[in-house]
Structures are given as structure tokens and as C-alpha cells.
Amino acid sequence: MRPDAPALTLDGTARIGGLHVFGPLHLTVPAGRITCLLGPSGVGKTTLLRLIAGVDDVTEFTGSITASDDRSLAGRMALMAQGDLLMPWLDVLGNVTIGARLRGEARDRDRAMRMLARVGLEDHAHKRPGALSGGQKQRVALARTLMEDRPIILLDEPFSALDARTRTQMQDLTAEHLKGRTVLMVTHDPAEAARMGHAIHILTETGLEDVTPPPGTVPRPVDDPETLTAQGRLLSRLRAPA
Amino acid sequence: MSRLITITTSTALALALWQALVVLAALPPFILPGPARVAETLWASRALILEHAGITAAEVLIGLALGAILGGLSAIGLAASPLARRLIRPMMVFSQAIPVFALAPILTLWLGYGLWSKVAMALLIIYFPVTSAFFDALMRTPQHWLDLGRIMGANGPRLMWHIRVPAALPGFASGLRLAAVYAPIGAIIGEWVGASKGLGYLMLLANGRAKIDLMFAALIVLAVFTLLLHMSVDRACRRWLDGTAAG
Ligand SMILES: Nc1ncnc2c1ncn2[C@@H]1O[C@H](COP(=O)(O)OP(=O)(O)OP(=O)(O)O)[C@@H](O)[C@H]1O
Ligand SMILES: [Mg+2]
């Protein structure tokens, strides 16, 4: 585990324009582990992630969001948002290195090229986002997020646009690369949560449900019986009416 | 190729209408000369017209370049500083209530009869459209990019340079396209008020001496110049946006 990766605690209620979104709820994200968050569309998962990232200006949040080391979260996070948010005026390589440029640091071109190779896009380094498929764009956004060497990583449906094979590859890459960091990952895919989660939660209209994750080290094999059972259990929990 | 055909056809149509008007209304040449007569004058006086056109082109191009630079910098300054917005924006809006035409005599008084009073006129007329088109785009950076920049740890100037400016370049480009059409108007007004050179001056002179065909020849050269300028600026903007900036 990275010594600088703290646990996170969110405690409170969120409203947008007086309308209740979620809460009161209590969520802990353990240090140096991957926590998966599932839940129906519109329940407030993205809102929760953006609140933690400190970029939500529309939501009124009453409560607290804290790190276990009592330090401010600012400057310690990377967020992969639900859309890819690539800059259309930069090529793929430029997009992957935008973080360094925004901080006035030297761009590590070699590391960026290696990262692009890991997401299978080294041949597309000089293309514009407009010339990429949806799944390729999502992988560029993933590479950009992984390039940010931050202890806390927030991922909002990071693999939603990928085919099954690429998706498991990206899950493996992400688990390997983010080992020891505090990761909160929103997903709609029970199989993904069962493979990737050290901890699994379902956000519903009534609150937060905890799900016991299957045993075994992350990323768990796709065909592991216990992982598959957990996946099935998760799916029936998700299908159950609230 | 089909575009060339369209342009040729519509030019021919315009010339035919012009000729028809002259013939049907039985207009004498000192009121409205026909296209053939104007073409003849254009060819006969080509050296004279070209010399004056060169002066006007210089005024317009310098004005356009200065307007792009000053307008661009002003827009960035205004977008970067809320204080500047509060103090300077009202002034800019008020200045728009002054008809630029009314300033031409004063500019001639201050800057003389030469090139610079016309450059200033062209600059004045394009400064506001360029600044406001770029400024509006700078103030409308999609929030999600700003959020991303904030999380990544960008400070104000870097956010401006790496995100807000490139995202706003299409707005700047539309300001420049407008400017390409307005700048010649500025230069011509400047020449009308006081000049000894330039197409505007030549037109006034020809008009005063009842050389209506020469006036029309100068007018056509001015129109063609403005059209070409607009097309080149448009093409340059497009190429720039596809190339290094926003696509
Ligand atoms: N800017 C906004 N203004 C008003 N309401 C909003 C805004 N953003 C989100 N909402 C509302 O807040 C609720 C939660 O939205 P959120 O995006 O967090 O859902 P989600 O759980 O991420 O859904 P999905 O799985 O579809 O991504 C929704 O009902 C949505 O309509
Ligand atoms: Mg969402």
C-alpha cells in the first residue's frame, strides 16, 4: 500500500435545487483498496464522486468528506469522469499528457507512450479524439487518469464503452496500476464489481447497502466460481425492487 | 469544379442584370455605365487603380493584424480578470454607442492624412467584434473541462492557456471573419474624410470629376478585394483550427 493513500469517509445528505438526491448516508472507502459502487441510474453515484472530487458546484451537501490522515483532499485526486472529456484540439498523446502541462511540469513523453501501449493505442498517438471510436476515447481517458500519479483515484464507469475482452484487459491494467491506491469506482456491471472490488456497495434510493465481496486477490479471475456466484448474487440484489 | 461553375454563372447573371438595367431604363453612362464600359475603364486605368488599391490593402491588412492582436489580448485580459471586466466592459459597451464614422475627422486630425489614420479607423471598427466574439467564447468554456483542469492542479494562467483559449478559438475565428468584412469599410471611411491616396479617395475624386465609370471600376476592385480577404481569412482560420487548435 502506498503510504500516502488515505481512507475516505463521506457522511451526509445531498440535494440539488432543494430536491433530495441521496442520504443521509455513511460511506467509508478503505485506504489502498478498490471500492466498487453500484446502483440504479440517477441515484446519485456521479454526484457523490464529484462531491468527493470537490468540483460539484450545483449540489448542496450537508455533512463532511474527510481523509483518514486529516489532510485536505485537494491536489491528491484524479477523476475519470463519466464522459471522456478529451480535448478535441489535442492529439491522443497531448491529451494523455495534459495534466503535466496544466501543472507546468515537464511532459514525460516516454511514460505516456508506454501508457498508450498498455491501453492498446500506441498506433493512434497522433490522432485527434474526433478520429477515434467511443471505446478508444474511453481508453485515452483511462490512460490520462492513470498518468496522474495520485494516491486517490475516482473512476466513473471507466469501462462502460468497451467490449468484454478489452474490458477485462483494462480491468487488469487498472488493478495492477492502481495497486495500493485508494480507488472508488462507479460501475453498472456486477461482473466488474465482483472482479475488482475489495469492497462493494450498492447506492439505492433508501441508502447504502454493503455487499460482501468474493474472496481472492483483485483482479479475480473471470471464471472463478466464487466470483461468478458473487456476480449472480449482486445481479439479483440489483434487480430486487427497492 | 461545380463551385467554379456556380460562381461563374452567378457572376454572369449579375452582369446580365446590370446590363439589362442600363438598357431597359435607358440610363446615360454618367448615371450608371454598363459593365462593358466599366471593364474598359478598369483595363485602361489599371495602373492607377492598382496603385490606390495597394494603399487601401495595406491600411486594411495592418488594421486587421493590429485588431486581431489587440482584440485577442483584450479578450484574454477581460476573461482573466473580474476586476477588468467590471471596470472596462461598461466603457467598451458605451464606446459602441459612438458611431465610428463620427470619429473619422478626429482621427485624421490626430494622426494626419497618411496611412495611420485609416489603419486606426479599420482597427476601431473591428476591435469590438473581435474582442466580444473571443471574450464570449472564453467565458463559455464547458464546465467539465474547467473541473478537470482544477482537479489536475492547474492555476489560473495555465487553465487559460491550455484550456480556455484553445476551447475559445472557434469564437475568435468567427470574430476575425467578421473583421475581414468590416476592416475595408473602416479604411474607406478614413479615406473619404481625408486622404490623397487609396481606393476611397479615388472614388471620391472620380465622382467629383463625373468619371462614373472609373468610380465603378474602383468600387468593383474594392468589392473583389474584400471578398478575397474574407475568403483567405476564412480559409486560414479553418486550417488553423484543424491544424494546431480546436477541430
Ligand atoms: N446539474 C444538475 N442539475 C440538476 N439535477 C441534476 C444535475 N446533475 C444531476 N442531477 C440529478 O441528480 C440525480 C443524480 O444524478 P447522477 O448523475 O449523480 O446519477 P448517477 O447515479 O450517476 O446515474 P447514472 O448511473 O445514470 O450515471 C439525478 O436525478 C439527476 O437528474
Ligand atoms: Mg453517473
Side-chain angles (χ1 to χ4, degrees):
Chain A
M1 192 182 121
R2 279 173 58 130
D4 58 345
L8 303 178
T9 309
L10 178 141
D11 224 327
T13 306
R15 294 163 182 286
I16 299 179
L19 278 168
H20 180 260
V21 180
F22 64 72
L25 66 84
H26 177 88
L27 169 72
T28 42
V29 183
R33 324 232 88 194
I34 299 178
T35 301
C36 287
L37 186 65
L38 297 105
S41 178
V43 80
K45 304 178 299 296
T46 296
T47 306
L48 190 148
L49 231 51
R50 289 176 53 83
L51 280 170
I52 295 177
V55 291
D56 196 323
D57 300 326
V58 286
T59 309
E60 306 110 52
F61 181 71
T62 44
S64 64
I65 298 170
T66 50
S68 56
D69 54 12
D70 285 328
R71 286 172 47 213
S72 149
L73 288 173
R76 296 200 281 163
M77 293 174 293
L79 168 69
M80 180 173 167
Q82 198 167 348
D84 59 64
L85 307 189
L86 299 180
M87 323 267 160
W89 59 87
L90 295 174
D91 65 8
V92 166
L93 188 62
N95 268 287
V96 170
T97 52
I98 183 77
R101 216 156 345 145
L102 283 170
R103 287 184 293 276
E105 297 163 359
R107 288 194 285 161
D108 192 341
R109 199 173 174 281
D110 294 339
R111 198 163 84 87
M113 282 310 290
R114 280 200 301 279
M115 192 61 81
L116 281 177
R118 295 295 303 272
V119 298
L121 292 174
E122 69 271 46
D123 296 338
H124 302 272
H126 299 293
K127 280 194 187 164
R128 293 294 177 82
L132 298 180
S133 76
Q136 290 171 333
K137 283 187 224 168
Q138 197 168 36
R139 281 181 282 154
V140 177
L142 177 68
R144 176 178 65 188
T145 311
L146 298 184
M147 281 293 283
E148 298 287 289
D149 194 20
R150 298 281 173 95
I152 304 166
I153 310 285
L154 308 168
L155 304 172
D156 199 347
E157 302 185 31
F159 314 119
S160 56
L162 303 179
D163 65 278
R165 182 164 156 269
T166 314
R167 181 185 297 209
T168 49
Q169 287 170 350
M170 292 305 113
Q171 287 167 349
D172 293 342
L173 168 67
T174 303
E176 177 204 317
H177 200 89
L178 299 183
K179 202 172 164 87
R181 296 172 211 247
T182 304
V183 180
L184 179 57
M185 178 166 113
V186 169
T187 177
H188 280 302
D189 180 4
E192 186 161 283
R195 275 201 91 200
M196 301 283 286
H198 292 108
I200 302 173
H201 303 285
I202 302 174
L203 184 62
T204 66
E205 288 80 359
T206 49
L208 201 62
E209 293 177 22
D210 299 348
V211 179
T212 318
T217 50
V218 166
R220 302 176 185 105
V222 276
D223 50 0
D224 168 57
E226 291 194 81
T227 305
L228 286 173
T229 314
Q231 174 187 336
R233 261 201 337 265
L234 255 176
L235 186 57
S236 23
R237 286 279 284 275
L238 290 172
R239 281 162 49 97
Chain B
M1 201 58 213
S2 77
R3 199 165 150 226
L4 194 66
I5 293 171
T6 336
I7 291 173
T8 320
T9 318
S10 89
T11 310
L13 186 66
L15 290 177
L17 282 174
W18 179 3
Q19 185 65 55
L21 183 66
V22 171
V23 172
L24 292 178
L27 293 172
F30 59 86
I31 297 292
L32 179 66
R37 203 185 161 110
V38 170
E40 218 171 279
T41 313
L42 184 59
W43 183 248
S45 320
R46 61 189 183 277
L48 176 76
I49 293 176
L50 217 59
E51 186 199 331
H52 287 280
I55 302 288
T56 303
E59 295 160 357
V60 169
L61 292 177
I62 298 174
L64 197 58
L66 289 180
I69 295 169
L70 284 180
L73 292 178
S74 309
I76 293 176
L78 285 172
S81 157
L83 183 68
R85 283 205 288 285
R86 273 203 300 277
L87 293 180
I88 297 175
R89 276 218 86 209
M91 252 194 289
M92 283 180 60
V93 172
F94 177 74
S95 75
Q96 283 308 292
I98 305 172
V100 191
F101 304 77
L103 292 177
I106 303 172
L107 287 178
T108 310
L109 176 71
W110 289 344
L111 299 173
Y113 278 78
L115 183 87
W116 292 104
S117 56
K118 287 80 194 175
V119 169
M121 203 55 211
L123 175 65
L124 265 188
I125 216 165
I126 67 173
Y127 175 75
F128 192 78
V130 171
T131 306
S132 66
F134 192 23
F135 172 76
D136 287 346
L138 283 170
M139 296 308 284
R140 275 199 220 109
T141 317
Q143 186 61 36
H144 52 243
W145 281 336
L146 297 178
D147 293 342
L148 187 75
R150 260 201 284 168
I151 298 175
M152 287 179 155
N155 60 15
R158 292 211 184 91
L159 210 56
M160 178 64 80
W161 186 245
H162 292 298
I163 295 184
R164 293 178 71 187
V165 167
L169 286 181
F172 190 37
S174 35
L176 291 181
R177 286 188 193 106
L178 268 184
V181 178
Y182 287 171
I185 303 178
I188 295 296
I189 295 169
E191 288 172 359
W192 279 350
V193 170
S196 52
K197 282 173 193 139
L199 283 179
Y201 162 79
L202 185 64
M203 282 162 70
L204 272 195
L205 187 80
N207 208 15
R209 296 192 183 161
K211 290 184 176 170
I212 305 304
D213 40 1
L214 180 61
M215 203 201 84
F216 269 90
L219 186 64
I220 283 171
V221 169
L222 178 67
V224 169
F225 169 73
T226 304
L227 209 62
L228 287 179
L229 182 67
H230 179 69
M231 274 161 53
S232 345
V233 167
D234 183 52
R235 184 171 291 191
C237 285
R238 247 174 246 249
R239 214 178 265 178
W240 184 41
L241 291 181
D242 297 339
T244 51

